Amino acid sequence: MSVEAGLPALALIFLLGMRHGLEPDHLAAVDGLTLRSQAAAPRWTPWMGALFALGHGVTVLAIVAVAAVASQQFSPSETVFGWLEWLPIALLLLIAALNARSLLAGAQLAQVRGWLLPRWLRGASGPLAAILVGMLFALVVDTALQAAAWGYAAVALGGMQPALLTGLVFAVGMGVTDTFDGWVTAKVMRTGQIDLVRAFRRRLGWPIVAICVAMAACMAAGKLDPAWSLPESWTAALGAAMVLLMAALYGWTLLGLRRVRA
């Protein structure tokens, strides 16, 4: 498979990576790391999202590579893959439900994957902590499964190079979102305006609930009947609309920051 022939698929994977970076658990993790680093490592505070994405992306690439190598040796049964594909759907719905409950109660974003972190790492701060948290988040079932499936599929289409390119494009898309989120979050938190921080997370939280539910519904519909699967062009359009919506929300928040300073 040439790069030119796979450009539409790579563009879609890039958008999926950006959407992955907007998952509530990612945002909650970046928020926590940014807040804790304000006192412990202030010069690294705006880069917590980027460092988290670095650890996450490196692990995703490692999983893709391992899956690609393994796929050359043996092939898991379709039944096993069929059941495992329901796990990301269940996790998306769980994240949406917990996030909605948290937002209705006036709290910030719910964090599901954070429960799986070692206790000593939950309160850690600084660049190394951000990288480690990002790496551990990538080992949770939905991300690991997605990366493994891409590695398997990409090798089937052309070898190790497409597999690694797929993982890299996904990681870069996710890195763009997490880096920008960490930068905006740091700017918001520096103001000390708690109400502004809460409003920022409410505005960002509810669209993410809708995204999680919509993605889960689309995935479930495609699983139940392939005829219900959205065409790639529709999926790409939805991804682009999501990116524009998130950019508008971040822009609105930055405009609010300028008004506060004025």
Side-chain angles (χ1 to χ4, degrees), residues 1-2 9-10 13 64-65 67-69 71-72 146-168:
M1 180 182 68
S2 65
L10 291 176
I13 290 167
V64 168
V69 172
S71 70
Q72 296 173 339
Q146 194 170 216
W150 284 343
Y152 177 80
V155 162
L157 291 173
M160 180 65 76
Q161 184 178 353
L164 293 177
L165 183 61
T166 298
L168 180 62

Side-chain angles (χ1 to χ4, degrees), residues 7 26 34 78 96 99 105 118 139 170 183 197 211 237 257 262:
L7 279 178
H26 278 231
T34 301
E78 292 185 6
N99 194 46
L139 296 176
F170 177 84
W183 178 73
V197 174
I211 289 168
L257 281 176

Side-chain angles (χ1 to χ4, degrees), residues 229-240:
S229 298
L230 289 178
E232 282 193 7
S233 58
W234 284 36
T235 306
L238 286 174

Side-chain angles (χ1 to χ4, degrees), residues 76-187:
S77 69
E78 292 185 6
T79 303
V80 172
F81 264 121
W83 282 107
L84 289 178
E85 284 174 358
W86 285 99
L87 291 176
I89 297 172
L91 188 58
L92 277 171
L93 292 174
L94 177 62
I95 290 173
L98 290 176
N99 194 46
R101 180 183 176 185
S102 180
L103 290 167
L104 287 171
Q108 293 188 8
L109 296 176
Q111 186 173 349
V112 179
R113 293 176 178 88
W115 300 343
L116 303 177
L117 294 176
R119 186 166 296 180
W120 63 270
L121 195 53
R122 293 178 194 174
S125 60
L128 181 58
I131 293 172
L132 288 175
V133 170
M135 293 177 74
L136 290 176
F137 266 46
L139 296 176
V140 178
V141 64
D142 65 327
T143 304
L145 218 95
Q146 194 170 216
W150 284 343
Y152 177 80
V155 162
L157 291 173
M160 180 65 76
Q161 184 178 353
L164 293 177
L165 183 61
T166 298
L168 180 62
V169 169
F170 177 84
V172 170
M174 177 198 63
V176 169
T177 304
D178 283 339
T179 299
F180 191 59
D181 180 70
W183 178 73
V184 173
T185 301
K187 290 181 73 69

